[in-house]
Structure formats: structure tokens, C-alpha cells
Amino acid sequence: MTNPAPTRGYTATKDNLQSRLRRIEGQVRGIDRMVDEDRYCIDILTQISAIQAALDKVALGLLDGHARHCMHEGAQEGRADEMASELMAAVGRLMKRG
């Protein structure tokens, strides 16, 4: 017997999340084409900025799901401090840029 996949904070919005990620993947391929076509640097940088914003939106959605679902479950299991530390470490990694 196989165990069912665990329920994650993003499980309810998984289709939407995957759709966003596929769109971002397409944007990255578009940048590759722009470089191949020797497009203007600023136009490429503009597209990179759009991808970063899209990834930030995905990350915020995942953080929200984690805070509402995973942390709630962790608190019920007596692991609230551990889960809070894990969340803050993830936020810290997301905030580090360049």
C-alpha cells in the first residue's frame, strides 16, 4: 500500500502555483531568446525584473500557506518554536539579494 501525498500549505492552490511556475519558465526561455537575438540590455533587465517579481509572488503565496497550514499543524504537535524558526530562516533567505 502506498501512503497518500502529505497535505501541504499550497495543496489547495497547487494547480495555480504550477501554472504560475510554467509562466515564469516561459519568461526565462524568452530571456534566453532575447540574449540569443542580441536584444538591448535594458529590455533584458526589465524582463529579469518581471521574473523576480513573479517569483516573489509565488514565494509569498508559499509563505502564506506555510504560516496558515504547516505552522498550525506544527503548533498542534508542540513544535511552534521550531516552526517559527524555520519560517524566519526561510524569510531571511528570500530577503537576501545580490
Side-chain angles (χ1 to χ4, degrees):
M1 247 168 64
T2 59
N3 291 335
T7 301
R8 304 289 183 202
Y10 58 84
T11 298
T13 60
K14 188 174 181 176
D15 290 340
N16 181 269
L17 175 64
Q18 290 178 312
S19 176
R20 285 179 183 271
L21 291 170
R22 282 190 292 275
R23 199 171 313 124
I24 291 167
E25 182 181 19
Q27 288 176 293
V28 172
R29 283 193 306 270
I31 289 175
D32 184 50
R33 281 191 302 276
M34 291 174 79
V35 170
D36 187 53
E37 296 167 359
D38 295 317
R39 298 278 297 271
Y40 186 53
C41 301
I42 299 302
D43 292 341
I44 296 170
L45 291 169
T46 299
Q47 292 305 309
I48 290 171
S49 178
I51 290 168
Q52 287 174 330
L55 283 170
D56 286 346
K57 192 166 184 176
V58 167
L60 284 173
L62 289 169
L63 285 172
D64 182 70
H66 183 74
R68 293 177 190 277
H69 174 80
C70 302
M71 288 187 67
H72 179 73
E73 279 188 358
Q76 288 179 331
E77 296 168 359
R79 301 177 17 227
D81 287 342
E82 173 191 342
M83 298 300 286
S85 294
E86 182 181 60
L87 177 66
M88 293 312 297
V91 170
R93 287 189 301 273
L94 284 169
M95 292 180 70
K96 289 184 182 177
R97 295 275 169 105

